Amino acid sequence: MGLGAGLGGLAASPQAHAQVVEIVDHAALRVCADPAALPFSDHDRAGFENRIAALFARDLGVPVRYTWFPNTMGFYRRTLNARACDLVIGAPAEMDMAQPTVPYYRSTFALVTRRADHLALGGLDDPALAGKRIGAQARTPPGDVLVRRGLADMLRAYDLVVDSRISSIGRLMVQDLLDNRIDVAVMWGPVAAYQVGLHPGELTMKTLGETQDGVQMGFGIAMAVRKGEPAWRARVETFLNTHRQDIAAILQDAHVPLLPLESEAQP
């Protein structure tokens, strides 16, 4: 199905004159993405979000056209909301800068340690964390829990947002771990799994589940479109629903730690 087919009929409605016109490209799937943010996306289209975008483009019968911009301050303002693209493949399921779809996966934070240390940590409440040098990104839920547990003196804070063309927090944290500058790295699960995979046999990973110490660790990831474009959002969600298994296979192939979606949770 072409991209235009999912948006057809909007102008034919008697109320169309009162609606905001959905200016979505019919000739290509225009995606805004970070050019250096593996495992999510990169300029060579090697990330799992690139693979999902390619799957969606095949479903629409159009090519993917990228606008590259680092996922830092101003990303949505200067890309999606500036109409440089029509879709962001990986976005928080709860956000204000754009309109998220339903989440298509949930993941969690993870603890990464050196395999040689045999720490086998159970979570953020593990007594084995006492006296360990812990790396975590500032203003993240795990960092807040560690401070509350009296481990602030052993905590090394890393930036929450960086320009990926210059630096990678995941790579920096793992390098500090390998160089014995820290003993534990706390990272977003997909990043942790990717970094562990780059160093086979050297690192271990423990995911943190939905909550730790009553604090949410699991978060849903959606796609994002502009606000005021319900027809396009509905078309994106149709893709997510009809290709759920294909998307799950891509995520599993990338070793993304997955939590059940709310729609999959047992009553």
Side-chain angles (χ1 to χ4, degrees):
M1 178 187 293
L3 185 59
L7 305 176
L10 191 64
S13 167
Q15 290 80 30
H17 63 87
Q19 299 177 357
V20 176
V21 176
E22 299 193 20
I23 306 177
V24 177
D25 196 325
H26 294 199
L29 177 62
R30 300 192 309 156
V31 175
C32 284
D34 193 313
L38 290 175
F40 307 102
S41 63
D42 82 336
H43 197 275
D44 294 329
R45 307 189 184 194
F48 66 80
E49 290 181 1
N50 299 121
R51 294 177 60 189
I52 293 171
L55 179 67
F56 190 14
R58 287 196 297 273
D59 184 64
L60 295 168
V62 298
V64 182
R65 184 182 304 150
Y66 278 99
T67 293
W68 301 108
F69 195 87
N71 191 5
T72 184
M73 299 297 293
F75 175 81
Y76 288 93
R77 175 175 55 83
R78 298 177 66 175
T79 59
L80 183 66
N81 291 333
R83 300 193 179 276
C85 65
D86 301 311
L87 187 67
V88 175
I89 298 294
E94 297 181 7
M95 62 182 305
D96 294 325
M97 292 84 70
Q99 176 65 51
T101 63
V102 294
Y104 63 96
Y105 76 94
R106 287 180 66 81
S107 193
T108 182
F109 286 87
L111 305 175
V112 181
T113 58
R114 293 179 292 270
R115 184 177 295 274
D117 291 349
H118 303 290
L119 283 178
L121 298 170
L124 298 178
D125 59 351
D126 197 312
L129 283 173
K132 298 295 188 292
R133 300 162 298 173
I134 308 169
Q137 288 178 277
R139 292 179 290 141
T140 59
D144 293 342
V145 171
L146 291 167
V147 169
R148 191 168 67 189
R149 287 193 162 272
L151 297 171
D153 289 345
M154 302 302 295
L155 192 61
R156 176 172 181 177
Y158 293 79
D159 291 336
L160 179 63
V161 179
V162 299
D163 187 332
S164 61
R165 297 169 298 183
I166 300 171
S167 179
S168 164
I169 297 302
R171 183 171 62 243
L172 177 59
M173 293 175 75
V174 163
Q175 193 59 56
D176 284 349
L177 186 61
L178 294 171
D179 291 343
N180 202 33
R181 295 189 183 95
I182 58 174
D183 302 308
V184 182
V186 190
M187 288 183 280
W188 180 233
V191 177
Y194 174 70
Q195 289 296 330
V196 169
L198 293 178
H199 303 277
E202 296 184 75
L203 303 171
T204 62
M205 183 181 82
K206 166 66 178 179
T207 56
L208 295 180
E210 280 288 355
T211 62
Q212 290 277 301
D213 206 21
V215 176
Q216 184 177 353
M217 296 288 150
F219 295 90
I221 302 300
M223 295 189 182
V225 302
R226 282 178 292 275
K227 294 180 179 180
E229 294 186 340
W232 174 228
R233 181 176 183 266
R235 180 61 183 92
V236 177
E237 290 188 341
T238 296
F239 162 73
L240 294 176
N241 288 329
T242 58
H243 290 79
R244 186 175 302 178
Q245 292 184 346
D246 297 323
I247 294 170
I250 292 172
L251 295 171
Q252 291 165 7
D253 187 59
H255 306 291
V256 174
L258 296 174
L259 298 175
L261 291 165
E262 291 184 4
S263 60
E264 301 169 346
Q266 296 295 322

